Amino acid sequence: MEGSEPNRAADGRTVNKEDVLRDFQASFFAMSGLASFPWTFLEKDLERNKSSDLISDILSQTCLHSLCRRFPPSARYRKLFLSQLITREAAGCDPLDALYDALAEVVGAGYPTECFKSYLLPGGEAISLLESVALVSDGTTGLLTWEAALHLAEWALDHRHPFTGRTVLELGSGAGLTGIAICRSCSPSRYVFSDCHPRVLRKLRDNVRLNGLTGPEVGVEEMDWTTATDEQIARIGADTVIAADVVYDPDVVESLVALLSRILRVSSPEVFICSTVRNQETYGGFKRRLGKGAELPARPSTDPMCSSLVRRSRNRPPGGARSRRPDVPLQPRV
């Protein structure tokens, strides 16, 4: 097929059909912003070949894939995605019946408050999570996956040593993506998910079970940062503590730093925090508060991203926020 010939991306990279299909699939199941899809490659293919073969292949990897049958993205999202395909198909080739059949399935569907998002691991496995459609639901933002959780999962997959064979405590686990990725790929001896909002905890337990994580080596605990006890911290006995997207409000920062200081006193673990910097003043305040009770080494960490998940983090949070990769470990003052 002529359409499988490689193209050049805007940054000069050679892009072929297989890369494009993986991009479409990964972005579709994670419900990434539609503007981030490799539409240009598809448009050039249609212009060159006047054939719907590539659209058919994209359909097979997205709406018609078995993963979509089991854990479908929202009907509204699928409708918008299919509309984008139809717009390009109409301008470049003969109608593809399967495309319109797929659209017919979602046109009359309702718009529930929850939907599935799936994130593909390097080996091709999927982490599927039931997440809220709204950014804020029941007074919490913890019912969906935020960008920093994606980046921390990517970083962990490329830096497995802090997790392999260790007890890991995750603060503010939310929908559970980072922890499930670590449990699947990094072989911790024990992993403790934690959060404090009742609905988040229920959804977190559901997502952990949905991804086949059971047994005494995986736990989900309620942990309120303002009331967690030294006994609870000591019982968990974490060797590594992680958190993603927890530095977003000055009041939250105060309780987070206080809890981290207590954890460091009780069990002296390594601590990794991954943040989306929405407000530089808030993030700067977090770093300053850390300086009062813990030291950050001067040399920044080196943390190349794992390419399999980074495609799913194209949806930037509102306000031009950017993700900050995990800080180097916090170490208690001597």
Side-chain angles (χ1 to χ4, degrees):
M1 174 183 170
E2 293 180 12
S4 63
E5 294 176 359
N7 284 348
R8 290 284 178 182
D11 60 5
R13 291 180 299 111
T14 298
V15 181
N16 58 36
K17 175 186 169 182
E18 289 71 26
D19 294 332
V20 168
L21 289 175
R22 281 192 293 268
D23 262 1
F24 267 101
Q25 184 181 60
S27 298
F28 172 80
F29 283 112
M31 290 178 58
S32 297
L34 293 174
S36 70
F37 283 68
W39 300 114
T40 300
F41 185 99
L42 173 59
E43 291 161 0
K44 289 181 177 179
D45 180 89
L46 291 170
E47 181 180 353
R48 182 171 59 245
N49 297 314
K50 306 298 182 184
S51 167
S52 60
D53 287 353
L54 182 55
I55 291 180
S56 180
D57 290 338
I58 291 170
L59 267 182
S60 296
Q61 296 300 315
T62 54
C63 294
L64 303 185
H65 194 275
S66 59
L67 185 61
C68 189
R69 300 299 182 189
R70 292 185 63 201
F71 305 115
S74 75
R76 180 176 182 275
Y77 183 83
R78 283 178 283 151
K79 179 181 176 181
L80 292 171
F81 173 74
L82 289 166
S83 297
Q84 292 286 334
L85 286 178
I86 288 171
T87 297
R88 287 162 173 84
E89 179 234 30
C93 62
D94 293 332
L96 179 65
D97 289 343
L99 186 56
Y100 293 89
D101 291 342
L103 181 64
E105 286 187 19
V106 297
V107 164
Y111 297 153
T113 58
E114 296 178 325
C115 67
F116 287 103
K117 293 183 182 179
S118 297
Y119 307 88
L120 305 185
L121 294 174
E125 289 182 277
I127 296 174
S128 296
L129 306 175
L130 188 59
E131 302 188 14
S132 172
V133 173
L135 296 181
V136 180
S137 182
D138 279 0
T140 178
T141 59
L143 293 169
L144 71 164
T145 298
W146 293 88
E147 186 183 22
L150 285 164
H151 279 279
L152 184 54
E154 293 161 8
W155 184 87
L157 294 178
D158 208 41
H159 299 77
R160 303 186 184 199
H161 173 71
F163 311 103
T164 302
R166 295 187 175 190
T167 295
V168 182
L169 168 63
E170 182 181 5
L171 304 176
S173 299
L177 171 67
T178 301
I180 294 169
I182 290 173
C183 289
R184 286 272 194 89
S185 302
C186 301
S187 302
S189 61
R190 183 168 174 246
Y191 196 97
V192 179
F193 298 83
S194 73
D195 217 295
C196 67
H197 192 283
R199 188 176 171 195
V200 173
L201 284 167
R202 289 195 298 272
K203 190 58 61 185
L204 178 57
R205 290 188 177 100
D206 289 344
N207 282 333
V208 169
R209 285 194 294 267
L210 182 69
N211 286 275
L213 300 179
T214 58
E217 68 277 5
V218 177
V220 178
E221 292 202 14
E222 179 180 359
M223 180 174 282
D224 187 317
W225 298 350
T226 62
T227 60
T229 64
D230 287 353
E231 289 75 16
Q232 182 182 21
I233 295 169
R235 174 175 52 77
I236 293 172
D239 304 303
T240 302
V241 176
I242 64 170
D245 222 330
V246 293
V247 182
Y248 55 87
D249 179 270
D251 293 336
V252 173
V253 165
E254 290 291 326
S255 57
L256 172 61
V257 172
L259 176 61
L260 289 175
S261 296
R262 291 171 55 209
I263 290 174
L264 287 167
R265 287 199 305 270
V266 172
S267 57
S268 297
E270 289 187 293
V271 179
F272 300 90
I273 308 293
C274 187
S275 300
T276 297
V277 183
R278 297 180 177 84
N279 183 302
Q280 190 64 53
E281 183 176 347
T282 300
Y283 186 75
F286 170 61
K287 298 293 287 283
R288 288 191 295 273
R289 287 285 290 114
L290 285 177
K292 295 180 180 179
E295 290 184 343
L296 285 170
R299 183 177 61 82
S301 61
T302 56
D303 43 18
M305 291 300 177
C306 177
S307 62
S308 64
L309 280 170
V310 77
R311 286 190 290 270
R312 260 79 79 209
S313 60
R314 286 173 174 159
N315 262 347
R316 302 299 179 193
R322 59 187 177 86
S323 273
R324 181 179 178 85
R325 293 164 182 159
D327 286 307
V328 287
L330 297 173
Q331 300 293 346
R333 284 187 182 276
V334 178

